[in-house]
Amino acid sequence: TVRHGFPYQPTALAFDRCKKILAIGTRSGGVRLLGRPGVDCHCQHESGAAVLQLQFLINEGALVTACADDTLHLWNLRQRRPAILHSLKFNRERITFCHLPFQSKWLYVGTERGNTHIVNIESFVLSGYVIMWNKAIELSTKTHPGPVVHLSDSPKDEGKLLIGFESGTIVMWDLRAKRADFRIYYDEAIHSVSWHHEGRQFMCSHSDGSLSMWNLRNTAKPFQVTFPHGKTQRDGRKESCKPILKVEYKTSRNSSDAFIVFSGGLSYDKAGRRPTLTIMHGKAITVLEMDYPIVDFLVLCDTPYLNEVQEPYAVAVLLEKDFVVVDLSQSNFPIFENPYPMDIHESPVTCTAYFADCPPDIIPVLYSIGAKHKKTSYSHKEWPLRGGTWTVGSQTYPEIIITGHADGSIKFWDATAITLQMLYKLKTSKVFEKPKSGDVGRSAELVEEDPYAIQMINWCPQSRIFCVVGISAHVILYRFSKHDANTTITSLEVRLQCEMEDVISPSDTENTPCFSDPSGLSPQPQPPSPRSNTPDSVRDSIPCLKVKDRTIRMPPGYQAELVVQLLWVDGEPPQQITSLDLNSAYGLLALGNCNGLAVVDYLQKTILLCMNTLELYGSADPFQRLTRSPRKNRQSTSDFCMRGLSNFYSDSKKRIRTSYQSLTELSDNQVSLDLERSKSPTSAPYTPSLHNDPRGTGEPVSNLRSCHYSPVFYLLDNVKGPGQKVKSTRQTLKD
């Protein structure tokens, strides 16, 4: 089983510099392992506790996870399915920070109480060695230094451990002598610490948006304090800035200037700015704006040794809903093209469709078309995560997954291999005009937001005809073309509502059945009626969205050919489409909702059939050739079918449905309705008479329900059975 897409609610990030494998932890206890394209693995903690921190046993194929339930887990990654080898739970203290030096068997664990515990990584048991907070700071200091927020060994001496407390206190602890070498008391809270590779100085990031540089020769005060995004005000003070949550300090051989990468630190007066990652290289400061808040980031380097020149080549940035890798080798800092399907939920997925055994040429064709629309500003270097191996089996067959999204976009994915590869993207919103300020409420009453959201997908890979249903009660039909075209989109409008004025109660004109608006069957699209500018006007015969009525230039790929929209009726918006089917062999498209059904010939661009649900289930349906007439005092089949749909109709419509059933009881001897229909008109016991004016009101027969199959309409006068009063009704019989 493979999990595609971005890890939901990520919390932590780790990178194995030797194996080139990245790990992402999530709030639900999941761990995602990513390597070269195709290497993608998911692990899950049974407890479901959030992953606070990840630590690779570099180059050993193992991973330590620290979870929110104060438990440490050691994962073995050297087997096909990663598994937990050991677990260790802290009962009295809460874990806040972990550090595992390269090639060390000791894991340092900082807690909320300010203590530092040491775990043997091989046996995964606690060592008796504990650095208590009251021993780490001076005994004369009575205030608690706060939780441990940083642990790291000195690049110069692995026997020295740097402990950073939240309050601003920093202690260099000598592990052998079991005492503090020096203590730093700073008046700003600390968020992170990063060493220079020579081990003589380190940098801290603080809650006031400042960076402080410290030299081990003189720890009385920092030798440099900078506010990268804080300007000096008129009174000489620095403007207040947001906290710098993390900083990394990396050196390079080719340049005497180090790379300083940090997140946050913007001034508070710049409201509304997106989250930023700042890269300082020499005097140049580059601010990269991100689409989502930054969860964590790592500067990627080749060497696992802290005392070597780091030579950073990329920055991996974990966002709340995205994963970005920035190329540091180029001055404009382009990003790498992400080979994983991280952008599945770029806009929330609202529907999916899966197709197997597709024609072998469809994937290359879609990929070649989609490649023309891709961004060209990506880095030209190879994707930096190259760990793991993956071989694609020879017994694969073409598989495609199509996703529909809330913003109306469609994405085609190649699912033949274990990973998804995006082939082609289509935006359905380009078919419609942008709503004007006065027309916003037209679709707002049907859907509050995302009026283009996709609800259903229907695709024929052989003919390449593609159909989508949108939440605003519209269907768009696309046809594939390798060439661009200048075309006008045809729009058809359908009424799929039984209007109240069309309902004739049994007391009116001799039990006349209810028929929907005959204009719904017209093959010609119905023009929308002009909207009144008065606020009290009732919207009628208008769609939710306006299709572009001008000639549009369409790029190669899927080009919109036809749009079918349901209309408002008497101020009521159309119900959302719940069913769709496509038959490319006959050129037919069928759609339906709780109000009815419509069949469209998309070759001729005409509406063939439009019926409401009442007619489909009623016994007076001219297209139904089914069952016997219902018996007296017994629940009829049609009544049983209609029970589940009763909430769609008013009480008056229900009375009409009951009258339909009574109309079928032509005699007491229970002659079946289909037998009656099979007889010729002249052989019936009562000869029906044809009238041009059935009700004597001047209404011609043509005003009755019309159909492309041309059923004959009869008026049955004086139909009388034993014990029945004389009735005058209309009954439709299909030839």
Side-chain angles (χ1 to χ4, degrees):
T1 303
V2 183
R3 294 198 179 196
H4 298 294
F6 185 75
Y8 182 58
Q9 294 181 328
T11 54
L13 187 67
F15 181 64
D16 189 326
R17 298 183 178 186
C18 295
K19 296 292 185 184
K20 298 290 188 294
I21 291 178
L22 189 99
I24 299 174
T26 68
R27 193 172 297 175
S28 58
V31 178
R32 189 78 165 271
L33 300 171
L34 301 172
R36 69 178 61 208
V39 177
D40 191 339
C41 181
H42 178 268
C43 316
Q44 178 68 41
H45 294 89
E46 291 184 0
S47 64
V51 178
L52 299 179
Q53 199 175 351
L54 300 165
Q55 285 282 310
F56 272 105
L57 277 67
I58 294 178
N59 205 30
E60 295 184 25
L63 177 71
V64 174
T65 58
C67 296
D69 59 353
D70 305 311
T71 305
L72 297 174
H73 302 278
L74 178 62
W75 289 82
N76 179 15
L77 308 180
R78 295 184 294 272
Q79 55 196 48
R80 181 175 291 273
R81 289 193 66 179
I84 295 176
L85 291 178
H86 302 287
S87 296
L88 177 63
K89 183 169 178 59
F90 284 64
N91 293 320
R92 297 182 179 179
E93 297 189 67
R94 308 215 65 176
I95 299 172
T96 55
F97 197 88
C98 297
H99 172 63
L100 180 62
F102 178 54
Q103 293 180 336
S104 172
K105 64 177 182 179
W106 303 109
L107 172 69
Y108 302 99
V109 182
T111 66
E112 193 176 32
R113 291 186 179 181
N115 303 323
T116 302
H117 299 267
I118 302 176
V119 178
N120 187 304
I121 203 68
E122 295 173 351
S123 60
F124 220 67
V125 294
L126 273 174
S127 164
Y129 196 128
V130 182
I131 306 172
M132 305 300 290
W133 70 269
N134 54 357
K135 292 183 180 180
I137 66 174
E138 290 182 359
L139 296 176
S140 60
T141 306
K142 297 180 180 179
T143 57
H144 192 280
V148 175
V149 295
H150 176 80
L151 292 168
S152 62
D153 57 315
S154 169
K156 196 174 181 180
D157 186 356
E158 61 181 13
K160 304 290 180 68
L161 183 69
L162 191 71
I163 307 172
F165 298 93
E166 188 181 58
S167 62
T169 300
I170 300 174
V171 176
M172 176 69 87
W173 185 264
D174 190 328
L175 293 167
R176 302 182 189 91
K178 297 184 179 180
R179 61 180 178 82
D181 277 1
F182 63 82
R183 299 177 178 92
I184 295 174
Y185 298 97
Y186 196 61
D187 55 359
E188 284 295 337
I190 292 176
H191 286 282
S192 69
V193 181
S194 183
W195 281 95
H196 188 278
H197 80 275
E198 293 177 350
R200 298 187 189 134
Q201 59 188 26
F202 58 86
M203 178 181 289
C204 300
S205 68
H206 301 280
S207 58
D208 62 348
S210 66
L211 297 173
S212 62
M213 290 284 292
W214 299 83
N215 197 309
L216 299 190
R217 293 179 181 177
N218 181 14
T219 58
K221 62 178 182 179
F223 72 86
Q224 183 182 358
V225 177
T226 58
F227 289 81
H229 295 300
K231 297 178 181 178
T232 304
Q233 298 175 341
R234 292 181 179 179
D235 56 1
R237 293 185 303 173
K238 293 284 185 181
E239 61 181 345
S240 58
C241 296
K242 299 176 183 178
I244 296 179
L245 301 178
K246 185 176 182 178
V247 63
E248 290 215 23
Y249 184 28
K250 302 297 180 184
T251 53
S252 176
R253 283 193 184 90
N254 299 330
S255 174
S256 58
D257 298 321
F259 279 94
I260 299 173
V261 184
F262 62 88
S263 61
L266 291 180
S267 59
Y268 279 104
D269 64 343
K270 297 177 181 177
R273 286 195 65 176
R274 294 190 290 181
T276 59
L277 182 81
T278 304
I279 302 174
M280 299 172 62
H281 188 218
K283 295 182 180 179
I285 299 179
T286 304
V287 179
L288 304 178
E289 289 190 339
M290 302 294 169
D291 293 332
Y292 307 101
I294 298 174
V295 176
D296 198 359
F297 73 88
L298 289 173
V299 178
L300 306 186
C301 309
D302 281 329
T303 177
Y305 298 99
L306 294 179
N307 57 359
E308 292 184 351
V309 179
Q310 297 297 289
E311 291 290 352
Y313 58 87
V315 183
V317 188
L318 179 64
L319 309 176
E320 281 189 358
K321 296 183 180 180
D322 201 0
F323 177 65
V324 178
V325 181
V326 181
D327 186 358
L328 292 180
S329 63
Q330 300 182 41
S331 58
N332 59 339
F333 302 128
I335 65 171
F336 290 89
E337 184 178 3
N338 196 328
Y340 314 117
M342 292 291 188
D343 56 345
I344 287 182
H345 302 280
E346 181 183 14
S347 173
V349 174
T350 52
C351 71
T352 59
Y354 168 75
F355 300 90
D357 278 333
C358 301
D361 63 328
I362 190 69
I363 290 179
V365 167
L366 287 172
Y367 182 79
S368 63
I369 295 295
K372 298 177 182 178
H373 303 288
K374 284 188 177 181
K375 296 179 181 177
T376 57
S377 58
Y378 290 118
S379 171
H380 299 294
K381 288 198 169 184
E382 184 184 0
W383 178 249
L385 307 182
R386 301 185 293 273
T389 57
W390 171 254
T391 55
V392 180
S394 58
Q395 302 300 323
T396 58
Y397 49 90
E399 298 173 274
I400 289 180
I401 291 176
I402 304 177
T403 56
H405 301 264
D407 63 353
S409 60
I410 305 282
K411 292 182 181 179
F412 290 75
W413 303 86
D414 179 8
T416 305
I418 195 170
T419 59
L420 292 184
Q421 183 179 10
M422 224 258 279
L423 298 174
Y424 175 67
K425 183 177 179 180
L426 177 68
K427 293 183 179 179
T428 62
S429 58
K430 292 185 176 181
V431 172
F432 303 100
E433 300 278 5
K434 290 183 179 180
K436 299 178 182 178
S437 57
D439 292 341
V440 173
R442 202 162 94 178
S443 60
E445 292 187 23
L446 182 64
V447 52
E448 293 182 0
E449 56 184 9
D450 301 324
Y452 308 111
I454 306 299
Q455 286 188 303
M456 274 180 287
I457 292 170
N458 198 302
W459 185 45
C460 179
Q462 284 72 28
S463 66
R464 300 181 184 175
I465 297 293
F466 183 60
C467 244
V468 295
V469 172
I471 199 170
S472 297
H474 63 268
V475 178
I476 309 176
L477 185 135
Y478 290 88
R479 196 181 292 273
F480 189 84
S481 174
K482 294 182 180 180
H483 310 285
D484 56 357
N486 295 316
T487 58
T488 303
I489 303 171
T490 303
S491 176
L492 296 178
E493 296 173 349
V494 181
R495 293 172 74 101
L496 271 187
Q497 253 133 330
C498 188
E499 302 178 58
M500 290 305 297
E501 58 266 23
D502 291 333
V503 177
I504 305 173
S505 63
S507 59
D508 295 340
T509 61
E510 303 167 338
N511 294 334
T512 307
C514 162
F515 294 103
S516 64
D517 188 356
S519 63
L521 270 180
S522 172
Q524 300 299 326
Q526 185 176 2
S529 60
R531 293 183 59 193
S532 173
N533 293 326
T534 60
D536 297 331
S537 63
V538 177
R539 300 189 188 118
D540 187 42
S541 300
I542 58 170
C544 295
L545 300 172
K546 179 175 174 55
V547 180
K548 292 180 179 178
D549 53 2
R550 60 184 182 276
T551 301
I552 306 172
R553 186 183 181 278
M554 298 184 183
Y558 274 105
Q559 300 169 350
E561 187 175 276
L562 175 67
V563 178
V564 182
Q565 293 178 288
L566 304 188
L567 301 176
W568 286 63
V569 176
D570 289 342
E572 292 294 328
Q575 295 293 321
Q576 294 175 3
I577 296 170
T578 55
S579 184
L580 174 76
D581 202 9
L582 176 72
N583 191 318
S584 57
Y586 289 89
L588 294 179
L589 173 68
L591 59 113
N593 61 9
C594 61
N595 285 330
L597 161 76
V599 179
V600 176
D601 181 342
Y602 65 79
L603 297 177
Q604 304 293 331
K605 298 181 175 57
T606 58
I607 303 170
L608 296 181
L609 177 66
C610 182
M611 300 184 66
N612 60 44
T613 314
L614 197 60
E615 295 170 299
L616 289 171
Y617 284 95
S619 58
D621 176 17
F623 308 106
Q624 191 176 20
R625 308 178 186 178
L626 300 176
T627 61
R628 299 172 177 272
S629 58
R631 302 190 179 193
K632 287 184 178 181
N633 301 325
R634 184 177 295 182
Q635 187 180 20
S636 67
T637 305
S638 60
D639 189 54
F640 177 77
C641 296
M642 291 300 295
R643 184 187 301 169
L645 300 165
S646 59
N647 59 328
F648 297 133
Y649 306 105
S650 62
D651 291 337
S652 61
K653 295 180 183 179
K654 294 177 185 176
R655 289 197 298 270
I656 296 300
R657 188 183 70 240
T658 306
S659 69
Y660 289 170
Q661 297 167 8
S662 64
L663 290 176
T664 62
E665 301 173 2
L666 300 180
S667 62
D668 285 343
N669 55 4
Q670 303 299 326
V671 180
S672 65
L673 181 62
D674 50 354
L675 182 61
E676 288 294 324
R677 288 180 174 180
S678 65
K679 296 179 182 180
S680 65
T682 55
S683 63
Y686 303 100
T687 305
S689 57
L690 293 174
H691 296 270
N692 287 329
D693 187 4
R695 292 185 289 177
T697 58
E699 180 185 357
V701 175
S702 60
N703 281 357
L704 296 176
R705 179 75 171 177
S706 61
C707 177
H708 289 283
Y709 296 102
S710 303
V712 181
F713 289 91
Y714 294 96
L715 186 68
L716 305 183
D717 287 334
N718 302 326
V719 179
K720 183 179 180 183
Q724 287 185 320
K725 294 182 180 180
V726 175
K727 293 183 179 180
S728 178
T729 63
R730 277 187 298 182
Q731 177 69 30
T732 60
L733 298 177
K734 187 172 182 182
D735 193 358

